Amino acid sequence: MANQEVSSMLAMAAALLLVAVATFPAGVHSIGVCNGVLGNNLPSPADVVKLYRAKGISAMRIYAPESNVLRALSGTGIGLLMDVANEDISAFASTPSVAAAWVKANVKPYPGVSFRYIAVGNEVTDADAQKNILPAMKNLNGALAAAGLSGIKVSTSLRFDVVTDTFPPSSGVFADDDYMVPIAEYLESTGAPLLANVYPYFAYVDDTTDIHLDYATFQPGTTVTDDGNGLTYTSLFDAMVDSIYAALEDAGTPGVKVVVSETGWPSSGSFAATVQNARTYNQNLINHVGKGTPKRSGPLESYIFAMFNENLKTGDETERHFGLFNPDKSPAYTLSF
């Protein structure tokens, strides 16, 4: 009888373990998905959040405060990266009360939302506008602290080309030290990460001679050794991220961590934009980021762009085909989170 009870308890424990593994696959805590809204046929915010939860997606990025999204996220535990729109940065920089009013309207009313980061701008490329980012970050941090919300980290989301000399990765430096070094120093002082948009897809299509598809999509076949640090790379994504870490070290801020605020692969619209390549890249990304990079082991928080194909996005045709799901919530292709 005792042996039967022990066997029963062991079986129950094994079953519970299997459930836990099925519900929380390895690395899931490292993956979020960007929730863009540039479409006229997208699901309601409540349905979007239900889909995140059904798929076990534990973090979301939104590009502006969306009250309906914030209400839907309340109490779910889904971590949130939320942007300050680029056009608001100048006012944040010049007028602290503008930042305070933004916090009062868009953060304070949602105590049930798990805010992780606020990005002051996304891919700001205008040199004059870039000068406003750091003072805007400081004013926003002050407003959050005054509201008792200092646990929310403030950063900015950057295009990858803020880093140059990226091959080999150990040679990476910031293209404009006057712009980036003060931001990196401030991030180190606050403990906030640097947010970077990292797209091996664009690097690959711009240089198919030197970059192989397998290297760009985490597949076996290409191995690159960095003579500067002796590390070995089997994926372009890792090499790109580690070049950012090299730039941070060159700036004297090795303590700043990197969060990949966008990455992804289009499933249609141009060269190499196929369902097979998109599935391969994103599935391998999901499986990979829990391990980190050759230079920085451990989970690398990353946000896939994007949740849905957005039919009102402008630019190249590929821009409308980065979605993991169609607007009717059917998968664009099958992924396992």
Side-chain angles (χ1 to χ4, degrees):
M1 184 67 173
N3 287 339
Q4 289 178 345
E5 289 176 352
V6 170
S7 298
S8 177
M9 291 173 65
L10 289 173
M12 182 177 295
L16 288 171
L17 178 60
L18 287 172
V19 169
V21 170
T23 307
F24 303 105
V28 70
H29 57 289
S30 303
I31 283 288
V33 180
C34 302
N35 178 28
V37 295
L38 297 179
N40 59 13
N41 54 359
L42 298 174
S44 70
D47 284 345
V48 171
V49 170
K50 287 178 184 177
L51 187 58
Y52 271 70
R53 300 186 75 182
K55 298 300 179 182
I57 303 169
S58 60
M60 177 189 292
R61 180 182 183 182
I62 58 176
Y63 293 88
E66 298 278 348
S67 58
N68 290 336
V69 175
L70 294 171
R71 282 193 290 269
L73 284 170
S74 185
T76 64
I78 293 173
L80 185 65
L81 161 55
M82 184 168 73
D83 287 22
V84 173
N86 290 4
E87 57 266 26
D88 293 335
I89 295 174
S90 176
F92 272 51
S94 63
T95 312
S97 62
V98 171
W102 189 92
V103 169
K104 182 179 180 180
N106 300 306
V107 183
K108 191 74 172 175
Y110 305 100
V113 174
S114 300
F115 291 99
R116 289 184 185 176
Y117 318 112
I118 297 177
V120 176
N122 180 51
E123 298 189 342
V124 177
T125 56
D126 179 79
D128 289 333
Q130 288 174 345
K131 295 174 184 176
N132 289 322
I133 291 175
L134 183 55
M137 289 170 60
K138 291 179 177 179
N139 285 340
L140 179 56
N141 256 327
L144 289 168
L149 298 166
S150 57
I152 302 171
K153 298 300 183 182
V154 174
S155 186
T156 184
S157 184
L158 303 166
R159 273 174 40 143
F160 180 72
D161 61 6
V162 299
V163 180
T164 190
D165 298 334
T166 58
F167 184 83
S170 61
S171 297
V173 294
F174 288 123
D176 184 349
D177 278 349
D178 290 340
Y179 165 41
M180 281 305 305
V181 171
I183 287 177
E185 290 174 343
Y186 183 66
L187 294 175
E188 189 166 60
S189 74
T190 64
L194 182 67
L195 306 176
N197 298 342
V198 178
Y199 283 97
Y201 168 75
F202 292 116
Y204 169 66
V205 298
D206 285 346
D207 186 7
T208 56
T209 300
D210 295 319
I211 299 174
H212 295 169
L213 182 62
D214 55 13
Y215 189 58
T217 54
F218 299 96
Q219 296 184 89
T222 299
T223 299
V224 176
T225 299
D226 186 331
D227 293 334
N229 58 21
L231 296 174
T232 298
Y233 291 87
T234 58
S235 75
L236 180 56
F237 176 85
D238 281 352
M240 293 173 76
V241 172
D242 277 356
S243 72
I244 302 172
Y245 276 122
L248 286 165
E249 290 180 354
D250 180 73
T253 55
V256 177
K257 78 170 185 176
V258 173
V259 167
V260 176
S261 44
E262 282 184 16
T263 189
W265 197 287
S267 60
S268 183
S270 189
F271 171 72
T274 67
V275 166
Q276 179 178 346
N277 288 343
R279 180 194 296 115
T280 298
Y281 177 81
N282 284 321
Q283 186 64 69
N284 287 339
L285 174 82
I286 291 166
N287 297 342
H288 177 81
V289 292
K291 307 168 189 174
T293 69
K295 190 173 182 66
R296 295 286 179 96
S297 61
L300 172 61
E301 188 174 350
S302 301
Y303 291 76
I304 297 175
F305 185 85
M307 192 66 170
F308 297 101
N309 289 321
E310 299 170 64
N311 66 351
L312 297 183
K313 288 209 71 176
T314 58
D316 295 340
E317 181 63 23
T318 53
E319 290 293 318
R320 292 175 282 282
H321 298 281
F322 272 89
L324 305 182
F325 294 88
N326 298 306
D328 64 1
K329 298 181 288 184
S330 64
Y333 43 85
T334 302
L335 287 179
S336 173
F337 287 94

